[in-house]
Amino acid sequence: LGITTLIGWGIILLFSLLNIVIKLQCNLSVRLSFERIAYLFITIIIGLFFLRLSSRHDADERLYIIAMLVMAVVVFVAEPSLSEIVKTCKVFKVMSCLIAMWILFFKVFPNIYWATVYKFIDVACKQLAAYYVPRGYGIPLGGSFTIAYYIMTVGILIMFVEVVSGKRQKENVIGTALIILAMIAEGRRGELIAVIFALLFLFLLSKDTTHFLMKITVIIIGIVIIMAFYKRILEYAESIPFLSRYVKSIQGIMMGADITSGRTELWRTAWELFKENSIFGIGFGGFAYHISGSFRSIHGQDVMDVHNCTLQLLCENGIIGTVILMIPMLLLFIGSYHRMMTIKKQMNLNIFYEYAFKIDAVAFGIQIFFFILSQLDPAFYKPVFWGFYGFSIILMYGARKLISLGKTNVYEERKKNENK
């Protein structure tokens, strides 16, 4: 509707500052944890990247830094209880399903969208819809094709974790199927691939440790069936307008055509820049200055990124900057995985461990999603990334708190039994 996202970030900051004031009045201190320290280190490193004279300092980069810093405050003041986490997950599930139904409705009835919603949205959003919808995409929400996808991703991860845990199967299976259909309808290939990878990882790491080989077998059989019947599947999919964008992509791959929408040219440019500036890079956000005018005339004037965040980090910050930044992110990722594997062995002891596993699994899934997506899309370079990445850190911290409660509960139970 043309409302700047700065208002949203400003409201979040105000609530966070109010939280700090209340903590000070109640003499409450902020607890340091590995997750919070690692997140702070990431923000400091990116802040230093931004302060380099060779970095880009336009309005887009300033908004990016503002979003990162606001979310850093949120991560440090958040003390999530189990009930808060459960309620927040419910909000994500409901919103994800509502967004999915909204997307699917207008995919089936596009004329209603053009006759109603299209008339009231901002000019920039109108241009986005007018250009992309006829090319097989769904409808934009919030002036973007990605923000709705990110929200639905968190929702589907929450529901899928419940499904593989054997909880509320019916409603979660229906919700998962609904969101998958909406994601397909949106026509975003990179996000769909990232979601599939995240769900596969969570399926393999689900709490049932006795059937790991069976899970691998199910995945392999599924891949073999698709490969064996892909021609028939493709012929059937061609008759469904809903799948037109994906069918064209598969046909392009089979013909050896470039289906990356020009990404390969951006990747080559980034690699050449990295080879010339391999130690310190060209400056944070500096890749935007090296995109040719001919490329922008074909693919749009708003192209600023490599569409592969690993390559962009290397060309803009060099080997040193990339390694320094990736270490804490990898430690958070590995830490979440290690804790999930540890909790698996203690899941049956009490409900705190069970919830801790589920919460960590959702956080782990969010990080997998963004890691895969960042190899195909500039997800890491979008301000909204910090909202979702910060949320995953808060979930990890919440899981840590629940594990502490679980240990206390186990200790108290043992003391009771000894006294008996």
Side-chain angles (χ1 to χ4, degrees), residues 14-200:
L14 284 174
F15 275 108
S16 302
L17 294 175
L18 177 63
N19 189 291
I20 292 172
V21 170
I22 293 170
K23 284 180 185 292
L24 291 173
Q25 289 180 341
C26 299
N27 295 319
L28 298 173
S29 59
V30 174
R31 301 176 187 176
L32 290 178
S33 68
F34 164 70
E35 293 84 8
R36 285 176 166 173
I37 293 170
Y39 188 89
L40 178 62
F41 187 78
I42 292 168
T43 59
I44 290 172
I45 293 302
I46 294 177
L48 292 174
F49 289 165
F50 177 73
L51 291 175
R52 284 178 61 184
L53 294 177
S54 59
S55 296
R56 185 157 56 100
H57 299 110
D58 60 11
D60 289 336
E61 295 301 292
R62 290 196 295 271
L63 174 59
Y64 181 84
I65 297 298
I66 289 170
M68 180 186 72
L69 295 176
V70 168
M71 205 60 207
V73 177
V74 175
V75 168
F76 265 78
V77 301
E79 287 290 342
S81 65
L82 178 57
S83 63
E84 284 177 317
I85 292 173
V86 170
K87 289 173 184 176
T88 304
C89 288
K90 284 181 180 178
V91 170
F92 265 108
K93 288 166 67 174
V94 171
M95 284 302 299
S96 297
C97 290
L98 290 175
I99 289 171
M101 287 187 286
W102 179 267
I103 291 169
L104 288 170
F105 178 81
F106 289 119
K107 188 71 174 182
V108 177
F109 304 105
N111 292 335
I112 297 178
Y113 174 77
W114 299 116
T116 56
V117 177
Y118 183 77
K119 293 181 177 180
F120 298 100
I121 56 179
D122 183 60
V123 174
C125 196
K126 282 182 178 178
Q127 292 173 346
L128 201 67
Y131 182 82
Y132 285 104
V133 173
R135 286 166 172 77
Y137 284 82
I139 59 167
L141 278 88
S144 168
F145 280 100
T146 56
I147 180 64
Y149 223 112
Y150 295 172
I151 295 170
M152 289 193 294
T153 295
V154 178
I156 198 172
L157 289 172
I158 294 166
M159 285 186 272
F160 189 75
V161 168
E162 292 283 357
V163 169
V164 295
S165 300
K167 302 291 184 181
R168 296 183 179 177
Q169 292 280 10
K170 190 174 180 179
E171 67 178 66
N172 286 307
V173 168
I174 293 171
T176 299
L178 179 69
I179 293 172
I180 286 288
L181 283 174
M183 287 178 167
I184 294 171
E186 272 298 77
R188 296 286 299 179
R189 298 169 300 182
E191 283 84 352
L192 186 61
I193 291 170
V195 166
I196 290 170
F197 267 95
L199 295 180
L200 284 175

Side-chain angles (χ1 to χ4, degrees), residues 393-409:
I393 304 303
I394 293 170
L395 289 179
M396 288 177 65
Y397 176 66
R400 180 183 291 275
K401 290 177 64 178
L402 288 175
I403 291 170
S404 297
L405 289 172
K407 288 178 179 177
T408 303
N409 183 269

Side-chain angles (χ1 to χ4, degrees), residues 298-316:
I298 297 171
H299 299 281
Q301 298 298 318
D302 58 343
V303 179
M304 296 290 179
D305 302 292
V306 180
H307 286 70
N308 181 304
C309 295
T310 303
L311 272 176
Q312 187 158 347
L313 284 170
L314 285 169
C315 85
E316 292 182 348

Side-chain angles (χ1 to χ4, degrees), residues 200-248:
L200 284 175
F201 269 96
L202 292 183
F203 175 64
L204 291 173
L205 300 176
S206 58
K207 70 174 186 176
D208 187 357
T209 57
T210 59
H211 297 96
F212 183 80
L213 289 176
M214 187 183 293
K215 294 171 187 175
I216 291 287
T217 304
V218 168
I219 293 171
I220 293 172
I221 290 172
I223 293 171
V224 169
I225 290 172
I226 291 171
M227 291 178 67
F229 297 97
Y230 80 93
K231 287 186 178 179
R232 290 187 180 181
I233 294 170
L234 198 60
E235 288 173 3
Y236 178 72
E238 278 187 283
S239 63
I240 305 174
F242 195 71
L243 303 172
S244 61
R245 181 164 162 76
Y246 302 98
V247 171
K248 289 177 183 177

